[in-house]
Amino acid sequence: MASTNSREWKAVCEKFRQAQDLSEIESRKDPENDPFRSKYKARELLKEIHCTVKNFEVDDRENEDRETDGQSGEHGDGEAINGGVHQVHAGDSRAGLRAAKLGVIEYYLGVNHIETEELSAGEEYLMTCLKLLDECTVTRENVSLLIQVRNQLGILWAGRDETETAQGFLEKAESIYTHYMKEDGQPPLDLVDFFVLEEDAPSQQERIRRFEMAYTHTLYYLAQVYKNMGQYERAGQYCHSTLQRQLKFSQFVPLEWAINAATLSQYYITKTRYMEARHCLAAANVIAGLAGEVPSEAAAKESEVEYEKREQLRQKRAEIARCWIKYCLNLLQDAKKLLEDNIGELDLDRQEELQRARRGEEEEKERGRKTAFLFDSTDTFDSICSQEEKVSCIFPLSFDEARAIFLVGQNYVTQAKEYFEMDGHVTDHIEILQDHSALFKVLAFFEEDLERRCKMHKRRVDMLEPICKDLNAQYYLLICRQLQFELAETFYEMMDLKLAVAEKQDQPDAHTIKKFNHLCSASIKYYQTFLDSIRSPEGKFPEKLEDDVLRPALVAKFRIARLQSKIITGNLATQLENLSLSLESYNFVVQYCENHPESKKSVETELELSEEMVSLLPIKINRIQGRIASSN
Amino acid sequence: PLQSNSNDGDAIKVYVRVRPLTQGTGLTTDGDRSLCLAVTSEHTVRLNSKPEPRNFTYDHVADMDTSQESVFSFVAKNIVESCMNGYNGTIFAYGQTGSGKTFTMLGPNELTDFSDELRGVIPRSFEYLFFLISREVEKSAGAKSFLCKCSFIEIYNEQIFDLLDSASASLFLREDIKKGVFVEGAVEKYAASAAEAYQVLSMGWRNRRVASTSMNRESSRSHAVFTMTLESKEMGQGVVNIRTSQLNLVDLAGSERQRDTHAEGSRLKEASSINRSLMCLGQVIMALVDVSNGRSRHVCYRDSKLTFLLRDSLGGNAKTYIIANVHPGSKCFGETLSTLQFAQRAKLIKNKAMINEDTHGNVR
């Protein structure tokens, strides 16, 4: 082979450098109408290099034959890595090095063709590269190439909708990495190492960086492949590993990483894995902090760059805060599900049972904490842990525990609202308020004192009612409906609480009755507004309800029916009127389900009760009519 | 009678228009007279795919002989009318470059006056709108007055540009509790007649083309949104009643350019250059989060600018029509198929926001 300092070799290296430049730097400036100009030039150079290297090969053929005889069969573990294919060369033998050298050029030619949209040709080069190396054991000389060529083939086949083929290449790349790190683990060579003069060679650190990056990409592609195959659990795992490696090898843009981690927390939430979710969020907080200080408002006014930066930082941090809100909310809601009895009240026996069970687990908790999923960057680990300490990741079982989580959530509500102001971010702002309301709602579940519970619901009303009044339904119909319904429900809940309080008293006073009736009519009003929003522009209620409003609309009718019958009045005529209205609404539910039998399953319980009421109420109405008649 | 199929509850309607074959325009179909589809009824089109032909059903399918007037009366008339009544309306044109979007919406190139029989949906909508306005004003004997403002923006690479002010930097989307989503700082021009509105449109349209050469942007890679805001004032018994509504006319980027936004297949996002961050990891995670079991969660990745701007049109209480333009030539098979599929999916586009209603149904 030509010696590494011969003039000929220097020329090859120079060509290689030019090809790299053309492909990576020049090509970005290519004109739209000739987008691959530099890539084509790079391709020509690569082809020339390929020829030269081939010629070296002819010179050295005799040596090669002799050498391989002596070496075959000596590399047991290499064989295992290569899946039982019979290897002829050691990766670091002369023949192995030549294969790697040729392979690198084949690889770059392959990538070049793929980038210029000649996929089949690209594939051929990549496969040739693979074949050359298949005869070699895995060594520090070729391991990087072995992984990268498979990454490329994975991308290529995924683009052809052959997901399983892609998966095969990528999983192989993954196992090559794992084996290599276990068996050898020496800092590997980089692809360019074969074609640069010593003085231009990448540093050891840079080599490691590129190698680890290639493997991170393998995981990143696998995450996508698993997602495309519907293997969400695995995809999630690979997303996590990708993030973890980015952090470990300092290969990330802080804000972007933080947002990815925060989004991943939302995946864990849907899987009720709160420990992992919290870890992601804590890490997101810490890493977002690395993106720097938020420029002041004054600075933002001065320069556009500062403005953009301020906007970005504030927005992303607010987004992360919103992910935290969801964390607190879901944790509380899941705990509620665990603790509630069949009518949705706190089940005290169950609460005690769970608390006892938890005391038993206390010691095991620390041991059970898995380290596999931790973001283990040494620089940030401690800060991440201290973020985690601020909020629990186990289900709250008492009011105090629930309140602690609620307060964290509420704190993030305040943070998120700082950026997502009503003026300019209507939808986001309202979504945050809705979460805030939901936090109060679930906290109220843990509160045993009925009056205090009622006050929590009042807080919900206070935050939602003004917006509901101001929001333009022409543009925000769906949000309006959500708010109307939620307000109706909140008043309904307050009505129920007042009723429970009143039942404890012997004789409710006039003030209590007035309050109670007010809650009833407020609830009716919002249910009615919601129902009106379903009407057509001409004011007609639809014959058939759309799927997304079917259950809400029928539930609204049902609740109105119940509320009408609850209103307290001493006047028989008014009572009669209320009961007739109530009957009318119960009848609506029953009639609708009769006309549209397919809707029965979405309101089973309500329908059953409505049917019962439709048969009972007329009797009650008759009795009152009788009393009115007799009193006249 | 078949028309009654399309009930008014549907938020989005789809009109498919098949353009005639072209000659000498440099399109890929030159010389090849064979067709890849056939209009089988006024609601269906059959695509000659192999091994089995496939049928698609829409609110209306217009064949090659359909006149501009007929497209207008089917698609736009109703929308313009409801705009007069205070409802928002949107008309989208969707399709591959060369499938006839501009012809459908605008008409033949260099259109200058309204007498041209070939003028498209937009000029005809202007005429009809101002016709309705003057009729209303007359009928009310001066008690009713109208104000019409136009803006014209372009969305390119997720950035918003003002076509009525080519010197402006990129603009931002904001939301207002009363007037919904709007482009902050976009120029608004008053128009008192169809001709004036058309002037605004053509001025902006010219900017769009200029932009495509001087900044290396292809017009077909950008979405153009022309918005008319109609404000009506009615005086009666000392009370002033004000109503506003919007009419959006949207020329979408060529569908072949949208593969990325409507990415479906299983293409992997690549991290090609070594220093670039893994941008789409978030998208992968988002997909995982999306298939969640109804839990409340927050997704940090935002809508595209276009869907955000037209959020209200996609499943609110606005009236929306999508005109899907297709080229019938055999060589356009792939793009035609994807346009037809998109158009079918469009019917399902709805804002998925649900009512926050307890689903476990505790009855107390």
Side-chain angles (χ1 to χ4, degrees):
Chain A
M1 200 185 281
S3 84
T4 47
N5 48 15
S6 74
R7 186 182 299 166
E8 198 185 358
W9 185 247
K10 277 189 176 157
V12 168
C13 290
E14 177 53 24
K15 252 181 217 170
F16 184 81
R17 193 190 59 77
Q18 277 178 15
Q20 295 283 89
D21 270 8
L22 279 167
S23 181
E24 280 162 26
I25 300 162
E26 281 299 312
S27 66
R28 286 187 212 147
K29 295 177 240 158
D30 286 345
E32 282 264 296
N33 57 3
D34 192 4
F36 300 136
R37 193 169 64 189
S38 304
K39 297 268 181 197
Y40 291 144
K41 282 189 198 157
R43 181 192 294 181
E44 289 318 308
L45 291 172
L46 285 168
K47 279 186 175 164
E48 286 171 28
I49 300 171
H50 190 256
C51 266
T52 321
V53 177
K54 272 258 184 189
N55 286 338
F56 293 156
E57 188 184 7
V58 176
D59 298 343
D60 287 349
R61 178 148 294 165
E62 295 212 333
N63 289 343
E64 177 193 343
D65 289 345
R66 237 173 294 129
E67 232 179 289
T68 49
D69 281 347
Q71 296 235 340
S72 58
E74 282 182 17
H75 287 257
D77 26 304
E79 236 171 78
I81 295 174
N82 283 307
V85 177
H86 184 67
Q87 265 105 55
V88 191
H89 318 298
D92 54 359
S93 68
R94 294 192 69 161
L97 289 176
R98 206 164 28 250
K101 196 175 279 188
L102 262 178
V104 166
I105 298 301
E106 298 275 358
Y107 169 83
Y108 279 118
L109 276 167
V111 172
N112 180 287
H113 280 81
I114 289 171
E115 284 171 346
T116 54
E117 293 167 10
E118 294 163 57
L119 300 186
S120 305
E123 184 202 345
E124 235 168 88
Y125 282 110
L126 294 177
M127 288 311 286
T128 314
C129 169
L130 207 58
K131 242 176 252 146
L132 280 167
L133 291 166
D134 264 348
E135 294 173 12
C136 305
T137 57
V138 178
T139 60
R140 60 187 283 266
E141 285 77 15
N142 60 20
V143 63
S144 209
L145 180 59
L146 283 168
I147 289 171
Q148 295 200 36
V149 70
R150 285 184 169 84
N151 279 355
Q152 287 297 333
L153 283 162
I155 296 166
L156 182 78
W157 282 102
R160 292 172 170 165
D161 269 340
E162 299 275 343
T163 314
E164 274 160 35
T165 315
Q167 179 194 8
F169 282 117
L170 293 168
E171 284 179 351
K172 188 69 198 283
E174 184 186 21
S175 76
I176 288 173
Y177 175 88
T178 321
H179 268 270
Y180 179 79
M181 292 312 274
K182 206 169 86 192
E183 305 292 337
D184 189 327
Q186 289 183 72
L189 291 193
D190 186 64
L191 269 59
V192 303
D193 276 323
F194 293 96
F195 293 97
V196 292
L197 301 173
E198 210 157 312
E199 60 266 32
D200 298 331
S203 68
Q204 190 73 285
Q205 218 178 352
E206 175 62 15
R207 284 190 186 117
I208 295 172
R209 203 186 74 86
R210 292 187 193 179
F211 175 65
E212 297 293 353
M213 178 77 106
Y215 179 61
T216 306
H217 286 174
T218 305
L219 299 181
Y220 165 67
Y221 299 138
L222 275 171
Q224 297 180 62
V225 163
Y226 292 139
K227 183 210 88 185
N228 290 342
M229 297 177 92
Q231 301 184 16
Y232 297 116
E233 180 118 22
R234 274 180 107 176
Q237 224 172 305
Y238 277 77
C239 283
H240 196 119
S241 312
T242 306
L243 286 174
Q244 190 175 334
R245 288 182 53 87
Q246 281 186 284
L247 197 60
K248 186 169 169 192
F249 297 100
S250 304
Q251 297 163 336
F252 61 92
V253 179
L255 271 191
E256 215 167 87
W257 192 95
I259 287 295
N260 284 341
T263 312
L264 187 59
S265 76
Q266 304 299 289
Y267 164 73
Y268 285 126
I269 284 173
T270 63
K271 300 277 166 208
T272 59
R273 286 160 65 178
Y274 288 101
M275 197 201 292
E276 286 91 338
R278 181 180 70 171
H279 189 64
C280 286
L281 286 166
N285 273 4
V286 172
I287 302 300
L290 302 180
E293 287 296 309
V294 180
S296 70
E297 222 175 328
K301 276 192 184 124
E302 291 288 303
S303 105
E304 194 155 328
V305 179
E306 292 295 289
Y307 175 82
E308 288 270 323
K309 190 178 173 199
R310 179 178 156 87
E311 188 67 7
Q312 273 290 317
L313 283 170
R314 292 183 68 219
Q315 186 203 326
K316 302 291 189 220
R317 285 181 187 169
E319 300 266 17
I320 295 167
R322 291 177 69 180
C323 290
W324 273 111
I325 299 171
K326 295 293 188 189
Y327 168 87
C328 297
L329 186 55
N330 280 282
L331 186 58
L332 287 166
Q333 283 171 341
D334 279 342
K336 170 174 178 274
K337 270 181 218 153
L338 214 59
L339 290 167
E340 72 190 350
D341 57 19
N342 55 2
I343 59 157
E345 291 287 332
L346 183 61
D347 184 335
L348 296 172
D349 293 342
R350 180 111 185 88
Q351 182 180 31
E352 200 181 316
E353 182 190 321
L354 286 168
Q355 279 170 342
R356 212 178 314 117
R358 190 160 78 190
R359 276 194 290 277
E361 285 165 12
E362 207 83 336
E363 309 93 63
E364 275 176 61
K365 207 179 76 188
E366 280 306 305
R367 251 182 292 146
R369 202 184 153 94
K370 293 186 207 83
T371 49
F373 65 85
L374 294 180
F375 293 124
D376 51 356
S377 154
T378 40
D379 300 343
T380 52
F381 188 72
D382 289 343
S383 346
I384 294 176
C385 285
S386 72
Q387 283 287 327
E388 286 185 293
E389 275 162 21
K390 291 178 185 166
V391 57
S392 162
C393 70
I394 50 174
F395 292 132
L397 297 177
S398 67
F399 178 76
D400 286 335
E401 287 172 356
R403 186 169 168 276
I405 294 165
F406 167 87
L407 287 175
V408 172
Q410 184 166 253
N411 195 22
Y412 280 112
V413 165
T414 315
Q415 271 188 41
K417 280 202 294 196
E418 269 169 37
Y419 177 77
F420 290 112
E421 292 169 301
M422 182 64 96
D423 180 24
H425 299 277
V426 177
T427 311
D428 290 295
H429 186 88
I430 294 176
E431 274 168 16
I432 295 166
L433 289 181
Q434 286 174 314
D435 281 345
H436 196 184
S437 162
L439 278 169
F440 267 115
K441 183 181 177 180
V442 68
L443 179 67
F445 167 83
F446 289 90
E447 174 61 68
E448 285 171 45
D449 182 280
L450 298 187
E451 287 292 353
R452 277 171 54 181
R453 240 162 102 176
C454 212
K455 287 204 176 88
M456 290 178 192
H457 289 303
K458 181 72 173 59
R459 294 286 300 271
R460 300 171 62 199
V461 169
D462 291 344
M463 66 176 83
L464 299 179
E465 204 167 29
I467 299 160
C468 191
K469 282 204 181 91
D470 281 347
L471 196 62
N472 186 345
Q474 193 179 356
Y475 296 98
Y476 299 102
L477 178 67
L478 287 158
I479 301 176
C480 280
R481 283 183 182 164
Q482 289 178 348
L483 293 176
Q484 288 151 4
F485 204 96
E486 185 162 350
L487 280 164
E489 266 196 326
T490 312
F491 280 118
Y492 188 91
E493 231 153 321
M494 290 168 75
M495 178 278 293
D496 255 340
L497 287 167
K498 286 282 174 223
L499 195 62
V501 173
E503 270 164 9
K504 284 181 189 157
Q505 299 170 345
D506 297 334
Q507 191 67 48
D509 55 61
H511 177 71
T512 312
I513 292 174
K514 203 177 150 203
K515 225 172 171 181
F516 176 81
N517 282 346
H518 164 73
L519 292 173
C520 280
S521 53
S523 183
I524 292 174
K525 182 185 90 185
Y526 280 109
Y527 277 127
Q528 197 53 56
T529 324
F530 166 71
L531 287 168
D532 288 342
S533 81
I534 302 173
R535 291 174 191 276
S536 74
E538 292 77 34
K540 225 178 82 210
F541 200 79
E543 295 273 308
K544 191 176 181 321
L545 292 160
E546 299 259 339
D547 283 349
D548 52 345
V549 291
L550 174 70
R551 178 167 163 81
L554 292 179
V555 168
K557 279 282 184 190
F558 174 80
R559 297 262 166 88
I560 287 177
R562 183 162 182 267
L563 286 157
Q564 286 289 2
S565 70
K566 287 279 173 206
I567 296 172
I568 303 171
T569 170
N571 183 325
L572 282 178
T574 320
Q575 198 183 352
L576 187 66
E577 193 187 328
N578 287 338
L579 286 180
S580 312
L581 284 171
S582 172
L583 178 60
E584 210 174 281
S585 294
Y586 280 127
N587 244 327
F588 180 92
V589 178
V590 175
Q591 277 301 319
Y592 187 90
C593 289
E594 230 160 74
N595 297 339
H596 306 277
E598 72 285 354
S599 51
K600 280 183 184 165
K601 59 183 184 307
S602 53
V603 282
E604 253 173 293
T605 336
E606 288 82 2
L607 178 61
E608 198 181 306
L609 281 162
S610 297
E611 277 164 346
E612 204 173 308
M613 292 311 284
V614 165
S615 65
L616 288 177
L617 267 183
I619 303 170
K620 201 169 174 187
I621 289 174
N622 277 340
R623 211 181 299 137
I624 296 172
Q625 271 167 341
R627 277 168 63 189
I628 294 176
S630 66
S631 69
N632 280 345
Chain B
L2 271 167
Q3 244 167 277
S4 57
N5 277 351
S6 46
N7 73 58
D8 263 320
D10 273 354
I12 296 182
K13 293 190 191 187
V14 178
Y15 183 100
V16 172
R17 187 185 199 186
V18 182
R19 68 163 296 164
L21 281 174
T22 40
Q23 285 169 320
T25 52
L27 264 179
T28 48
T29 50
D30 272 357
D32 186 354
R33 307 299 298 171
S34 57
L35 303 182
C36 66
L37 56 77
V39 177
T40 41
S41 83
E42 56 181 2
H43 298 286
T44 52
V45 60
R46 188 179 63 227
L47 188 70
N48 301 318
S49 50
K50 288 181 182 104
E52 290 284 302
R54 295 177 59 172
N55 290 302
F56 293 86
T57 307
Y58 303 98
D59 294 285
H60 190 82
V61 178
D63 63 20
M64 296 186 218
D65 305 321
T66 306
S67 70
Q68 295 281 67
E69 167 60 27
S70 142
V71 178
F72 166 75
S73 36
F74 232 104
V75 172
K77 234 176 157 168
N78 198 345
I79 292 185
V80 174
E81 280 161 12
S82 56
C83 255
M84 288 294 292
N85 295 324
Y87 289 88
N88 299 336
T90 301
I91 303 170
F92 288 99
Y94 180 84
Q96 161 189 23
T97 304
S99 61
K101 289 194 303 280
T102 307
F103 179 78
T104 299
M105 294 301 276
L106 222 55
N109 286 346
E110 315 310 329
L111 178 77
T112 46
D113 67 313
F114 288 135
S115 57
D116 198 328
E117 257 313 295
L118 292 180
R119 65 195 191 279
V121 167
I122 295 179
R124 283 171 201 267
S125 301
F126 292 164
E127 289 160 45
Y128 189 53
L129 181 69
F130 284 99
F131 162 75
L132 291 176
I133 288 176
S134 61
R135 203 179 63 180
E136 278 291 301
V137 172
E138 231 165 81
K139 239 177 31 189
S140 73
K144 231 174 178 181
S145 63
F146 289 85
L147 193 64
C148 181
K149 287 179 288 188
C150 310
S151 69
F152 198 8
I153 57 122
E154 177 183 44
I155 303 177
Y156 177 75
N157 264 350
E158 283 299 287
Q159 283 193 297
I160 302 175
F161 300 96
D162 194 339
L163 288 170
L164 301 182
D165 175 13
S166 51
S168 75
S170 73
L171 303 173
F172 291 96
L173 282 177
R174 285 172 65 86
E175 274 183 295
D176 184 277
I177 195 163
K178 287 287 178 216
K179 55 178 179 167
V181 183
F182 67 101
V183 180
E184 191 174 31
V187 170
E188 288 186 310
K189 299 242 187 225
Y190 290 97
S193 68
E196 280 182 33
Y198 195 74
Q199 229 174 353
V200 177
L201 177 80
S202 35
M203 182 181 114
W205 200 269
R206 267 200 306 277
N207 274 336
R208 198 180 174 200
R209 293 203 187 170
V210 172
S212 70
T213 54
S214 72
M215 293 180 63
N216 266 335
R217 311 188 311 207
E218 274 180 54
S219 67
S220 63
R221 288 190 184 193
S222 77
H223 308 293
V225 183
F226 187 88
T227 305
M228 295 182 92
T229 309
L230 188 66
E231 201 180 292
S232 72
K233 224 187 239 182
E234 192 172 9
M235 314 275 263
Q237 289 140 16
V239 196
V240 186
N241 199 355
I242 298 180
R243 269 207 302 215
T244 61
S245 57
Q246 266 182 12
L247 177 62
N248 297 304
L249 303 162
V250 188
D251 185 20
L252 291 173
S255 51
E256 73 280 9
R257 301 280 182 216
Q258 295 187 25
R259 283 204 186 101
D260 279 347
T261 42
H262 298 279
E264 264 169 84
S266 39
R267 288 169 76 89
L268 302 189
K269 283 279 169 56
E270 206 181 326
S272 47
S273 100
I274 215 87
N275 279 323
R276 259 188 53 197
S277 54
L278 311 182
M279 297 265 252
C280 98
L281 186 69
Q283 311 292 330
V284 179
I285 306 171
M286 196 166 76
L288 308 182
V289 177
D290 262 357
V291 291
S292 72
N293 37 17
R295 270 165 206 280
S296 139
R297 68 253 188 280
H298 176 64
V299 181
C300 303
Y301 296 86
R302 336 219 81 212
D303 287 343
S304 79
K305 292 275 183 343
L306 183 75
T307 45
F308 192 79
L309 178 64
L310 300 171
R311 188 190 278 187
D312 167 60
S313 309
L314 304 170
N317 50 355
K319 296 209 189 257
T320 302
Y321 234 119
I322 292 181
I323 306 178
N325 292 275
V326 292
H327 196 295
S330 304
K331 287 190 179 156
C332 294
F333 176 82
E335 290 303 336
T336 297
L337 174 63
S338 84
T339 302
L340 290 174
Q341 281 172 331
F342 171 85
Q344 213 151 49
R345 278 200 311 277
K347 294 229 53 115
L348 306 173
I349 301 177
K350 281 201 166 181
N351 265 333
K352 280 287 179 221
M354 294 298 248
I355 307 299
N356 296 325
E357 203 265 318
D358 271 334
T359 42
H360 44 83
N362 293 321
V363 181
R364 281 184 288 182

